[in-house]
Amino acid sequence: MASRSCSFTFSPPRDTTDSDAHLSATDCNEDGVWECPHDALEGRERCLAHLEGNPDGIDETDWLLEAVGRGSDEDTQRDRRRRKQFVAGRFDDLDVTSTVEVRDDEPLDLRYCEIGSFRCADVSLTDDLDFSVATVGTLTMNGTFDRLRAVDAEIDELSLKETRIRRLDCRDGELGTVSLRNGSVELADLRDGTVGELDLDEASIARGQFDRASFETLTGRHASLEIVDFDDVTVETIDFYYAEFGQADFRDVTAVDAVFKGADFDGAYFNDADIAIGNWLGTTVSNGHFSGVRFEQAAFRKATIESADFPDCHFGWVNFQQATFGDADFRGSIFEHVSFRNADFETADFGGIDCAGALNLAETTFETDLLIEPAPSFQPVDSFVDLTDSHVPTGTLRQSESGRVVYDIAGATIGKVTFEANDPDVNLVDRIHVLRTRFERFDFRDSDDIELKRSKYALHEMFDGAEEVVAGLLRYGLMLGEAREETHSELRSDGGVTGPTAESDDYRDLRARVNDRLSELEPPTSTTPNYRNPSTRDLEYTYLLAKNGANEIHDNDSSSMFFIREMQQRRTRHRELAVSTDGYRDKLHHGINWTKNSILWWSAGYGERPSRVISTSVVLIGFFSLLYYAVSPTLYENPLNYAVLSIGSFVTLIIGSVGDIPVTSINLLSQIQAFIGAFLIAMFVFTLTRSIHR
């Protein structure tokens, strides 16, 4: 008795544009209806796959393998393909782990099926499986396969651990848990899908397409991903701990928590990404593109980014400490509370930034060129840039058009750097904190808008209230972070994970509220810098370094003025030590040094002022003229002779003519004046020569 064909038919939907996932015309009859090719069960109208339930208790796996194994060498390709079709079937449990001999490489077609669980090992049944538009509870595969297709499928759990697949196609799928742990995929396509957890730990993917997908958890610890696209992906948690990327595209990604600690990128594209918390500790990026990225919190500590493209970013609380950058571009970015302390740059562009009060570049090294130009978009309009102990060989440090910019270069090494102001009436010197600063090839004469004569070469003096202004700017970023936490739900009202964009009214109001709150607080001493009362020892060393820097480029005028200020600070220090020390010997020692320094200043301007030598000489001659008259008023009838005697004694070069003046006391005073005059003449020659040389 001939077997009867299954009576089940299936009409595929007509509104799909993805013909690869759905039945084609060659699979259907003239009416566009798919007819089941399998034999009906004995005494039944349908085969086991399309029967309502399994009343006879037939083993589903044995039945499927038997149905697939039927056929002959005379079968056409269409016959072979249809023999493996179980479209819209229902199975509780399929376990294809045994070997069955087949004569073709057609896919096992389970499209539109409802399957409780499916397990497949590396067997000769097929290396091509199709679960498109199917509903599967658990799908487990292990081995080597050519293709697994599950387009628009619903799968609760997809396990591909330690499995090698040439192509994995799960576009538009709704997947619960997907595991490729220790697996290998040449092409993985999950575009437009929804995934609960995607596990790529230690997996290898040559080409991955995950655009517009949605994930709850995306992990890839120690994974190797050559070319992957995560464009416009939404994900709660990303964890690519120590993963290796070739070209990774995360543009427009939205992530609450993203971990890339220790990861290695040949190319990283995160343009316009929105990441609440990012961990980039120790990450290496050869070519990084982060234009328009928004970070609420992020750590790039000890990261290496050879080409760092960060324009128009919005940084909340971000740590770039000890990071290494090649060419870094941060133009137009907002820095709410960002630290680059101890970082290393080849070049850095901070043009047009809003540093939300303060930008921490302390102990940072810039190999070639640096540009800083704050342009606050919100309150406060003043800015503070901390470059203490940094190394800046070349660069331009500009003032803002809207407010003051205070640059702190204490302990820094400054090379060919120019300071620029938009207003010619601005005294830039009092906006630059100089203390123990080293100047290497820095030209005080040609630093654009710096006019040292205007400030009488006083490098250390700041504008009135500078300490309070800087203290407030230092606190602003901290308070802004606190305010963001207080209004967490409000800040995320626009659908992002880092809050409203800089263009929104909500963000503008937040910045204004924090600025108003700041103005009501007294700055604590712990965050208030000391600009008013630096130690005289520090100031003496500051002007010594400035003098050495001016000498290096043969800036004689500046060198002269800095030397004078160095000696003045030394005199002040001797006076302070003479008062503060306890021992009499120490007091006497510092008192003598103060006296010698004072005499050198008043008599010769520390060897820099010939006019002071002349003035001192005139005073000395007049003093001795009066002294001679007071000692012996009857020596000369004409009082002018006392002046002649004083002048003659002053210019006497050979001391010892005791008998020329009959009065012994006058003779003694004359010899003393001659002794002093010889020193003053020598000092005049020295200072005159020094001034001409300068």
Side-chain angles (χ1 to χ4, degrees), residues 456-627:
K456 298 180 181 179
Y457 291 84
L459 297 178
H460 69 283
E461 295 179 357
M462 304 288 289
F463 63 87
D464 292 338
E467 290 180 328
E468 290 73 17
V469 170
V470 171
L473 296 174
L474 287 169
R475 298 189 67 196
Y476 181 81
L478 293 170
M479 295 179 63
L480 185 58
E482 294 171 358
R484 290 173 67 92
E485 291 296 326
E486 293 172 3
T487 56
H488 201 265
S489 59
E490 173 188 343
L491 291 173
R492 296 186 178 178
S493 60
D494 64 347
V497 296
T498 59
T501 62
E503 294 78 15
S504 67
D505 292 337
D506 288 341
Y507 184 72
R508 185 175 296 277
D509 292 343
L510 173 70
R511 293 285 296 265
R513 288 201 307 270
V514 175
N515 188 67
D516 293 341
R517 186 185 305 176
L518 181 66
S519 63
E520 299 172 357
L521 299 177
E522 289 294 333
T525 56
S526 59
T527 58
T528 301
N530 179 19
Y531 294 159
R532 292 195 185 99
N533 301 304
S535 69
T536 53
R537 185 181 184 87
D538 286 339
L539 291 178
E540 178 186 348
Y541 190 63
T542 297
Y543 286 104
L544 170 64
L545 294 175
K547 178 194 69 177
N548 293 342
N551 281 332
E552 185 180 359
I553 60 171
H554 307 293
D555 182 1
N556 298 319
D557 289 341
S558 298
S559 176
S560 173
M561 294 301 301
F562 293 146
F563 175 68
I564 291 174
R565 286 198 168 271
E566 174 194 353
M567 296 299 291
Q568 288 174 339
Q569 296 300 328
R570 183 178 301 176
R571 183 175 74 244
T572 303
R573 186 161 66 91
H574 286 316
R575 183 190 64 197
E576 292 174 349
L577 291 173
V579 173
S580 61
T581 53
D582 295 330
Y584 290 106
R585 181 176 296 180
D586 290 336
K587 286 181 178 291
L588 178 62
H589 171 72
H590 292 299
I592 292 173
N593 287 335
W594 176 83
T595 302
K596 291 189 295 185
N597 186 296
S598 300
I599 292 174
L600 186 60
W601 164 243
W602 289 111
S603 64
Y606 299 121
E608 299 290 340
R609 298 290 183 267
S611 59
R612 288 214 170 205
V613 181
I614 296 174
S615 300
T616 302
S617 300
V618 171
V619 171
L620 185 66
I621 291 171
F623 171 75
F624 271 91
S625 298
L626 295 175
L627 186 59

Side-chain angles (χ1 to χ4, degrees), residues 114-155:
E114 295 182 11
I115 304 173
S117 65
F118 184 95
R119 292 176 296 280
C120 182
D122 188 5
V123 298
S124 60
L125 169 64
T126 184
D127 62 356
D128 189 347
L129 296 93
D130 194 345
F131 291 87
S132 296
V133 208
T135 301
V136 183
T138 301
L139 174 56
T140 304
M141 299 175 65
N142 182 265
T144 301
F145 299 87
D146 180 69
R147 182 177 65 167
L148 170 62
R149 187 169 55 180
V151 178
D152 203 15
E154 294 182 17
I155 303 176

Side-chain angles (χ1 to χ4, degrees), residues 388-407:
T388 56
D389 300 310
S390 294
H391 181 76
V392 187
T394 59
T396 302
L397 307 181
R398 293 178 179 152
Q399 290 291 306
S400 168
E401 293 185 358
S402 56
R404 293 169 294 191
V405 181
V406 179
Y407 289 98

